[in-house]
Amino acid sequence: MRQRSLIAITAALAAGALTLTACGSRDDDGGSDSGSGNKTVVIGVDAPLTGDLSALGLGIKNSVDLAAKTANKEKTVEGITFKVEALDDQAQPSSGQQNAVKFVADKDVVGVVGPLNSSVAESMQKVFDDAKLVEISPANTGPTLTQGTDWQNKKVRTYKSYFRTATTDAIQGPFAAQYVYNDAKKKKVYVIDDKKTYGAGLAATFTDEFKKLGGKVVGTQHIDPDTKDFSAVVTQVKSSGADVVYYGGEYPQAGPLSKQIKAAGVKIPLVGGDGIYSADFIKLAGAGGKGDLATSVGAPVEELPSAKEFVANYKAAGYKEAFEAYGGYSYDSGWAIIEAVKKVVEDNDGKLPDDARAKITEAVQNVSFDGVTGKVSFDEYGDTTNKQLTVYSVEGGDWKAIKSGTYTG
């Protein structure tokens, strides 16, 4: 986000005074002709807009929408109007892939923000890369997405069109392990994951670091994310002697799991990654969730001076849903695409070139601006250069930030 003039967005704007719908006929420059000399281009959003993870997905969609409205209001790119079109992937890789094909087929789409889930991203990357259509995720943390399947030994970037504003589990898992072992003084962990790309990968990086520090893994188990009865694994946790549970997965399962562990008389904290950092986790975990912990990417958005305008403008825009854990990262992902479009248009005498998608992907690699979440730029793998993380604890029915920092490996 260019913080230079994020003017408070009024209720009238939220009510639709600024119309983002494309009108007029399409042309050959990769955008619709609005009939007034402007080109209307589309920023796609792929996220779970329905289902268990919809709270996070709707926060992503709304935040990108706010970025587009801000760019249009400020006339950030002369002659260009941005429109947001969101597709629901329901956190399913097959749906994500279908959405990717739809975005590619619409020549007005100049970039896509999303998805939420790393497993969904795996199904989309090649589709976007073949079309040279840039994709920026505000939430994916699986290291393989940017650094290849053998990232621990040799990092290789497979898809040049893929970027993310969230840091990876190569950092998040070990950061959590250091806090649990060094700060929380927990020495015996029971590790559970949901077998999905994000959850299993996060649990693995946590486990490696926890062992390296001297901690003991007293048990491991995989759960079926489609069930809500965790009695079998709860029994194993109870008999293991663990003083902490680490869960690799997301809040729809983590909340009930925490609740059932506490109900069985096991008064130990459940710890997870950014996938459980949601108000919905607290609702699902109930009163027993007090003291549970989550790590999430970046510093707390509400506490960043750079995010004050975003928080105020999001509220003023009247969105029904909270921006949740990835709101700031979603805004910055959308703004990175806007900045890239601006660069490409300026370099082409004020018009989108015929090969706009390829040029925009190239431009994203070199974007650098002060965003909601801090400095926004990308390294040679497409990963964010912002490596900060925060530990949150459930206190008083809300998440409270208790430690921010970076992983020191």
Side-chain angles (χ1 to χ4, degrees), residues 96-143:
Q97 189 173 66
Q98 291 169 9
N99 291 346
V101 171
K102 290 178 184 176
F103 283 131
V104 167
D106 183 352
K107 68 176 184 178
D108 285 356
V109 177
V110 294
V112 177
V113 175
L116 170 70
N117 306 84
S118 293
S119 56
V120 176
E122 287 178 329
S123 74
M124 305 175 82
Q125 285 181 301
K126 188 177 188 304
V127 178
F128 286 135
D129 205 62
D130 287 348
K132 296 181 172 60
L133 180 60
V134 71
E135 169 191 17
I136 309 179
S137 174
N140 295 162
T141 53

Side-chain angles (χ1 to χ4, degrees), residues 242-308:
D243 55 12
V244 64
V245 168
Y246 189 83
Y247 177 68
E250 296 148 335
Y251 67 82
Q253 295 75 36
L257 176 61
S258 173
K259 187 173 186 176
Q260 291 172 42
I261 289 172
K262 311 303 194 295
V266 187
K267 306 302 183 184
I268 61 176
L270 180 142
V271 183
D274 55 318
I276 80 167
Y277 177 56
S278 168
D280 283 19
F281 169 85
I282 297 173
K283 295 174 187 175
L284 292 167
K290 181 181 179 181
D292 284 348
L293 303 168
T295 53
S296 192
V297 295
V301 167
E302 296 85 349
E303 297 176 13
L304 288 170
S306 59
K308 287 181 180 178

Side-chain angles (χ1 to χ4, degrees), residues 147-299:
Q147 300 171 18
T149 54
D150 192 31
W151 63 271
Q152 289 171 305
N153 299 307
K154 185 180 180 182
K155 296 179 181 179
V156 177
R157 186 175 186 180
T158 309
Y159 301 108
K160 291 186 178 180
S161 66
Y162 178 86
F163 298 83
R164 54 178 152 202
T165 52
T167 195
T168 77
D169 295 330
I171 297 171
Q172 183 175 198
F175 180 76
Q178 289 186 350
Y179 181 84
V180 170
Y181 187 86
N182 294 327
D183 296 78
K185 307 298 183 185
K186 305 296 184 183
K187 310 301 180 186
K188 296 185 290 183
V189 66
Y190 196 102
V191 180
I192 305 168
D193 70 65
D194 62 2
K195 297 185 286 188
K196 295 196 288 188
T197 302
Y198 164 73
L202 185 59
T205 58
F206 172 90
T207 298
D208 288 347
E209 182 71 12
F210 194 75
K211 286 180 177 177
K212 190 187 301 181
L213 293 168
K216 183 178 181 182
V217 177
V218 297
T220 60
Q221 192 54 267
H222 309 290
I223 58 104
D224 178 358
D226 292 326
T227 187
K228 292 293 189 289
D229 180 6
F230 304 115
S231 55
V233 70
V234 168
T235 299
Q236 294 172 26
V237 170
K238 188 172 184 178
S239 62
S240 70
D243 55 12
V244 64
V245 168
Y246 189 83
Y247 177 68
E250 296 148 335
Y251 67 82
Q253 295 75 36
L257 176 61
S258 173
K259 187 173 186 176
Q260 291 172 42
I261 289 172
K262 311 303 194 295
V266 187
K267 306 302 183 184
I268 61 176
L270 180 142
V271 183
D274 55 318
I276 80 167
Y277 177 56
S278 168
D280 283 19
F281 169 85
I282 297 173
K283 295 174 187 175
L284 292 167
K290 181 181 179 181
D292 284 348
L293 303 168
T295 53
S296 192
V297 295

Side-chain angles (χ1 to χ4, degrees), residues 45-50 53 57 86-99 113-117 120-121 123-124:
V45 174
D46 177 87
L49 306 178
T50 59
L53 294 172
L87 296 179
D88 182 9
D89 64 27
Q90 299 176 310
Q92 297 298 320
S94 58
S95 296
Q97 189 173 66
Q98 291 169 9
N99 291 346
V113 175
L116 170 70
N117 306 84
V120 176
S123 74
M124 305 175 82

Side-chain angles (χ1 to χ4, degrees), residues 68 87 169 309 329 365 392 403:
L87 296 179
D169 295 330
E309 288 176 287
Y329 300 92
Q365 182 65 62
Y392 296 86
K403 184 175 183 178

